[in-house]
Amino acid sequence: MNRRLSQAPLQRTIAEVPDRPPRLHLVFQKYDPPLYFVTFNTHRRRKVLANTQVHSRLIEFAKLGEQCGIALGRHVIMPDHIHAFVRGGIDFVLTQWARMLKRRLSNAISAPVPHWQKGFFDHLIRHSESYSEKWEYVRQNPVRAGLVSDPDDWPWQCEIARLEAL
């Protein structure tokens, strides 16, 4: 005896399925323009970043970005990773910006390529409390790593543009 289970008929047509889950706008507010917390790691966590050349290139890159409506705020360059806060205009694409930043910083790194781990980590800052918490975590990074006893003594950090969480 050959029994086959019949398929249940589709309850909805494709035209009835929404592009995004209903009520998503209630869960996530629109942040315009968004403020991102990003982290870039070096390839195999090589310690090639915490130096004057890389920091100078980061500042130059940020100054060029300002002409395009991209603001790089507080940041800390650690030996093997970078934490930064960035905000762009309506046409800002974070992945493109990250790719350009890595390319620019690679010009200041004397170690052989590859310099960067693929991709990056990002987090959308949703309110000022989150921004303060993230910044304090970033600011304390050199202390936790045993590089300085006071975070203000770490030379490869600053605030280029003043950014606020909306």
Side-chain angles (χ1 to χ4, degrees):
M1 185 182 265
N2 186 5
R3 288 187 176 180
R4 287 180 33 173
L5 296 174
S6 63
Q7 259 186 323
L10 291 173
Q11 298 298 316
R12 295 184 190 181
T13 66
I14 291 176
E16 295 174 339
V17 178
D19 289 349
R20 62 183 76 101
R23 298 182 313 277
L24 189 62
H25 66 283
L26 298 175
V27 176
F28 296 105
Q29 299 173 17
K30 183 176 180 181
Y31 297 94
D32 195 21
L35 174 59
Y36 295 100
F37 170 60
V38 293
T39 301
F40 309 93
N41 293 321
T42 59
H43 181 69
R44 296 188 177 163
R45 301 301 293 252
R46 289 188 296 168
K47 298 180 183 331
V48 297
L49 297 176
N51 61 61
T52 303
Q53 295 82 7
V54 171
H55 197 210
S56 295
R57 286 287 167 94
L58 180 70
I59 293 170
E60 288 171 12
F61 182 80
K63 297 293 183 190
L64 289 171
E66 286 176 352
Q67 298 170 12
C68 302
I70 301 168
L72 180 64
R74 295 172 171 166
H75 65 275
V76 172
I77 300 174
M78 296 294 290
D80 61 355
H81 66 280
I82 297 172
H83 292 295
F85 295 89
V86 64
R87 172 176 280 147
I90 190 81
D91 57 349
F92 177 68
V93 179
L94 186 60
T95 54
Q96 289 176 340
W97 177 85
R99 187 172 42 252
M100 291 187 304
L101 173 62
K102 287 179 176 182
R103 188 177 307 135
R104 177 61 66 106
L105 296 183
S106 282
N107 293 333
I109 298 171
S110 59
V113 294
H115 296 140
W116 301 102
Q117 188 178 83
K118 289 186 179 186
F120 59 93
F121 302 96
D122 65 285
H123 176 78
L124 181 64
I125 302 295
R126 292 189 169 85
H127 50 76
S128 59
E129 182 181 324
S130 174
Y131 183 38
S132 297
E133 289 170 4
K134 292 278 188 246
W135 171 241
E136 190 56 29
Y137 167 79
V138 168
R139 198 172 86 81
Q140 293 295 330
N141 239 4
V143 175
R144 283 191 304 276
L147 301 169
V148 292
S149 57
D150 183 337
D152 294 329
D153 292 340
W154 186 244
W156 297 290
Q157 66 172 325
C158 70
E159 180 175 35
I160 297 171
R162 179 125 175 105
L163 301 177
E164 298 292 332
L166 301 178

